Amino acid sequence: MLNKTLTASTERILAKYDVTKIRFKQNCLIDTNEFTLTQLNCLFELTKFYQANIHETQNLYPVNQLKYVATLFYEASTRTKTSFNIALTNLGLKPINIDISTSSHTKGESLYDTLLTLKAMNVNLAIIRHSSSGVLNFILENYPDLNMKLINAGDGSHAHPTQALLDLFTLMEHEKNLKNKKIVIVGDILHSRVARSNIHLLNLIGADVHLVGPETLVPFSSAEIKATIHHDLNTALTNADFVMALRIQFERQNQGFIISVDDYVLKYQVNKHNLKLAKANVKILHPGPVNRNIELADDLINDQSISLIQKQVANGIQVRMACIAMLLKQDH
Ligand code: CP
């Protein structure tokens, strides 16, 4: 009875925003650049509803609307993979976790053939992380008949939509109206799918976006990207409302993007000393995993009065539940 009430509430929220207005391109969630304010409002209302009812959400979504959901992580993940698994379980869906290291990928099977194979077994939603930027767009453009719902769980340096959505949700828990609020993203913007997806959403809601890092990692001009570009951290941090530090991606740093780790720490580490330049109630975020004492000083990470990092992780579950619920509402 309780589940029936909760399911009805989910349906009521989705109906309120009108399914035609929350429809995603090709019924897939590939990036945040396709989001409208209506979609965002719907997603965050659902997220809040799931937060308020988190202990009663088992079997919340009508399972019969979906057959099976597969997760395919071609790249390592702790947060995103676990969070999707919990989100699916909370919705009463049983995730099928494909172990890529023992799958037919090791025999050369392409992503498309793997998806086609799963579809033949009634999998109709696949959650995919991949090292190739744009791989999901490639699948959609080249195999339009696949007719399968896809969620991008991070593709190369291209996009990480659910991370950006949970980041924005976490920001808005602290500051309901982010219009003109100074949000500083620090670090390896060049390789960051998180930064790219965040910038789309922050622009959509009218935040004042600032990017900072060495020229090699922030090689953009304000003409190319809707943000203020800095290479001096102190200038960027001045009067900041929120600071999001990014991981130095050592696995993608084989071309000398930074002079040395020590040099990077000296110029771009966010710590309690340089954070004094920001607003008094500044909050820090990080998508994780963090290189402690490199992009962020250790004592900042653990300071719950400043750090929203654990909150980001926690919010990821309900934000992903809402993403899944919205996608499932869309029929092929
Ligand atoms: N933020 C993020 O994507 O973390 P994982 O790589 O652990 O999933």
Side-chain angles (χ1 to χ4, degrees):
M1 185 61 195
L2 181 62
N3 284 338
K4 271 194 182 152
T5 311
L6 289 168
T7 302
S9 300
T10 297
E11 295 287 349
R12 180 184 48 74
I13 294 169
L14 289 167
K16 179 175 145 187
Y17 287 92
D18 182 351
V19 76
T20 55
K21 290 189 182 143
I22 59 169
R23 184 171 283 280
F24 291 100
K25 204 166 79 186
Q26 291 178 269
N27 291 336
C28 297
L29 176 50
I30 307 297
D31 197 1
T32 48
N33 59 351
E34 61 201 43
F35 261 82
T36 61
L37 285 174
T38 306
Q39 284 173 317
L40 262 189
N41 290 336
C42 178
L43 186 88
F44 288 171
E45 185 168 340
L46 267 180
T47 303
K48 283 181 201 153
F49 171 72
Y50 294 146
Q51 271 187 335
N53 295 282
I54 193 64
H55 299 299
E56 295 92 20
T57 53
Q58 292 282 330
N59 300 318
L60 186 146
Y61 206 79
V63 181
N64 62 5
Q65 291 205 4
L66 187 79
K67 292 158 188 170
Y68 296 109
V69 181
T71 69
L72 299 98
F73 278 71
Y74 289 82
E75 249 193 6
S77 166
T78 298
R79 276 146 283 269
T80 313
K81 186 172 180 180
T82 310
S83 176
F84 267 117
N85 271 291
I86 296 173
L88 288 163
T89 308
N90 284 350
L91 291 170
L93 300 163
K94 197 163 179 249
I96 300 163
N97 288 304
I98 308 294
D99 178 357
I100 299 300
S101 68
T102 57
S103 75
S104 289
H105 168 69
T106 60
K107 301 176 198 166
E109 186 170 65
S110 70
L111 174 58
Y112 171 66
D113 279 332
T114 300
L115 294 175
L116 208 55
T117 302
L118 293 172
K119 190 174 153 61
M121 292 186 267
N122 286 337
V123 169
N124 73 347
L125 168 61
I127 296 165
I128 302 167
R129 168 164 293 187
H130 206 283
S131 56
S132 294
S133 304
V135 69
L136 277 75
N137 286 327
F138 177 85
I139 295 283
L140 292 179
E141 281 159 24
N142 289 280
Y143 306 104
D145 295 337
L146 179 65
N147 213 18
M148 194 177 199
K149 294 172 199 288
L150 306 176
I151 295 181
N152 183 1
D155 60 332
S157 304
H158 172 234
H160 194 349
T162 58
Q163 178 69 45
L165 289 163
L166 73 89
D167 290 342
L168 182 60
F169 184 83
T170 307
L171 287 166
M172 290 176 78
E173 269 189 330
H174 279 267
E175 190 69 57
K176 206 169 173 210
N177 185 358
L178 288 172
K179 197 165 173 58
N180 298 326
K181 293 291 170 191
K182 184 172 181 180
I183 300 175
V184 180
I185 306 180
V186 189
D188 185 357
I189 313 287
L190 179 65
H191 298 103
S192 179
R193 55 195 176 208
V194 175
R196 248 173 276 284
S197 291
N198 261 298
I199 291 165
H200 292 310
L201 289 181
L202 293 172
N203 283 333
L204 179 68
I205 56 148
D208 180 20
V209 185
H210 292 247
L211 310 177
V212 58
E215 281 89 344
T216 47
L217 295 178
V218 189
F220 315 105
S221 71
S222 295
E224 295 168 282
I225 201 160
K226 209 172 152 199
T228 306
I229 308 294
H230 306 267
H231 301 296
D232 176 66
L233 181 61
N234 287 349
T235 312
L237 289 180
T238 301
N239 289 325
D241 292 285
F242 294 94
V243 179
M244 181 184 295
L246 300 174
R247 184 173 71 92
I248 286 290
Q249 301 190 27
F250 288 108
E251 70 274 26
R252 302 189 219 265
Q253 295 289 346
N254 54 1
Q255 291 165 48
F257 288 103
I258 57 173
I259 295 169
S260 68
V261 173
D262 287 347
D263 183 71
Y264 185 85
V265 169
L266 192 68
K267 292 176 182 155
Y268 294 105
Q269 183 191 78
V270 179
N271 53 47
K272 284 199 172 169
H273 177 68
N274 54 29
L275 210 56
K276 285 186 183 141
L277 293 164
K279 296 243 177 86
N281 59 349
V282 66
K283 300 281 181 247
I284 60 156
L285 298 95
H286 192 300
V290 183
N291 296 305
R292 281 183 181 261
N293 286 321
I294 297 181
E295 58 263 9
L296 277 180
D298 211 34
D299 57 352
L300 267 186
I301 300 166
N302 296 338
D303 186 338
Q304 297 306 309
S305 69
I306 303 175
S307 171
L308 300 180
I309 297 171
Q310 291 302 309
K311 198 77 190 133
Q312 286 173 276
V313 177
N315 285 339
I317 293 171
Q318 290 91 44
V319 168
R320 291 183 169 111
M321 286 171 74
C323 288
I324 294 163
M326 279 173 73
L327 265 185
L328 296 189
K329 184 68 187 165
Q330 301 181 15
D331 300 316
H332 277 300

